[in-house]
Amino acid sequence: MAITYLDRPIKNNQAYIKNAQLDDSRYKEFQLRGPMGAVLHSIGTPQPMGKPVADYFDDPEVEASVHMILQADGLCYRLAPDNYRLWHVGGSANNTHMGIEMTEPRGISYDPNKGYAVTVLDREEALEHVRHTYDRAVELFASLCRTHGWDPLKDGVILSHKECYDRGIGSNHGDPEHLWSKFGLTMDGFRADVAKKMSSATATYRVLAGEYSTADDAKMQ
């Protein structure tokens, strides 16, 4: 399965606007240098489709943003250029890393009374979604590593939001390990799989013009 890129700029988001206006030196420096790595996120809600998440970020009141949102079928919404400094990790990693969100399966729930602990309600459905999203993320990160000349096995290049928090460069989040741990997936395994993908045949990618309609989204559910 290939990655299909769909450009959907979040031009109403304040971080996007600050980049367009070169609001201060942090944005100019990031744009001139480009990202030094990427942080892998998981959206934290049972929503398998990327469009509602993209629409959420395209809001002047939302004080968060990411560069891409990836679905299990390989559709990847590109919300901003790679070299824009966005607000995805709540710490200093915003100054160095891109942010990539993965969608999550319907067959889970979150309990706000237990620190938003996740419960798997439909294991078969959730496993299928998580497994496919993981595989597509491997492809996507291999492509990003090729594009930017990153070594996926070098310390600090590919991180999860949880790892950023553990290193003191991100806010207190547990993704994507909070969900991956239910299915035996790890960031060390992910980085190794990205390295393997880079050494194998180059995957194919498509770019779509415009945006999907809600009818297109419905076909993919």
Side-chain angles (χ1 to χ4, degrees), residues 2 8 65 73 88 110 117 120 129 133 142 153 177 192 199 205 213:
R8 201 286 190 214
S65 48
D73 60 4
H88 59 94
Y110 285 88
V120 177
H129 182 98
T133 309
L153 299 180
E177 290 95 325
S199 65
Y205 301 89
S213 68

Side-chain angles (χ1 to χ4, degrees), residues 11 20 22 26 45 57 70 74-75 87 89 92-93 102 106 108 117 119 124 129 151 159 163-164 192 199 212 221:
K11 294 183 178 181
L22 291 177
R26 296 171 298 171
T45 189
F57 283 123
L70 180 64
L75 181 62
W87 306 341
V89 75
S92 62
M102 296 179 294
R106 289 191 180 85
I108 61 173
T119 299
E124 182 177 353
H129 182 98
D151 177 355
L159 295 169
E163 289 176 324
C164 287
S199 65
Y212 270 17
Q221 296 182 30

Side-chain angles (χ1 to χ4, degrees), residues 30 33-38 85 92-98 150 169:
F30 198 107
R33 185 199 63 233
M36 301 171 67
R85 177 188 180 271
S92 62
N94 284 342
N95 298 324
T96 54
H97 284 59
M98 297 175 60
W150 301 335
I169 58 174

Side-chain angles (χ1 to χ4, degrees), residues 1-5 35 37-38 68 70 74 76 78 82 98 100 134-152 157-158 190-191 193-207:
M1 186 182 294
I3 301 294
T4 299
Y5 292 105
M68 301 180 186
L70 180 64
C76 181
R78 295 195 295 200
D82 290 6
M98 297 175 60
I100 314 298
Y134 177 96
D135 290 342
R136 301 295 78 74
V138 167
E139 291 186 50
L140 175 58
F141 273 68
S143 176
L144 290 172
C145 287
R146 291 190 189 100
T147 298
H148 296 289
W150 301 335
D151 177 355
V157 172
I158 296 177
F190 179 75
R191 285 182 282 262
D193 286 339
V194 172
K196 290 177 184 177
K197 177 63 69 172
M198 290 181 69
S199 65
S200 64
T202 302
T204 57
Y205 301 89
R206 295 192 302 144
V207 178

Side-chain angles (χ1 to χ4, degrees), residues 18-104:
K18 288 177 181 293
N19 277 277
Q21 297 175 342
L22 291 177
D23 189 69
D24 62 46
S25 61
R26 296 171 298 171
Y27 300 94
K28 184 175 182 179
E29 290 171 4
F30 198 107
Q31 289 186 33
L32 290 173
R33 185 199 63 233
M36 301 171 67
V39 177
L40 183 61
H41 301 264
S42 189
I43 61 174
T45 189
Q47 171 56 261
M49 309 308 295
K51 188 176 186 301
V53 186
D55 292 344
Y56 167 80
F57 283 123
D58 194 20
D59 184 327
E61 301 301 319
V62 173
E63 296 183 350
S65 48
V66 293
H67 294 81
M68 301 180 186
I69 302 167
L70 180 64
Q71 295 181 179
D73 60 4
L75 181 62
C76 181
Y77 287 81
R78 295 195 295 200
L79 308 188
D82 290 6
N83 68 337
Y84 269 26
R85 177 188 180 271
L86 296 185
W87 306 341
H88 59 94
V89 75
S92 62
N94 284 342
N95 298 324
T96 54
H97 284 59
M98 297 175 60
I100 314 298
E101 288 274 13
M102 296 179 294
T103 61
E104 295 187 2

Side-chain angles (χ1 to χ4, degrees), residues 71 180 185:
Q71 295 181 179
W180 278 8
L185 299 171

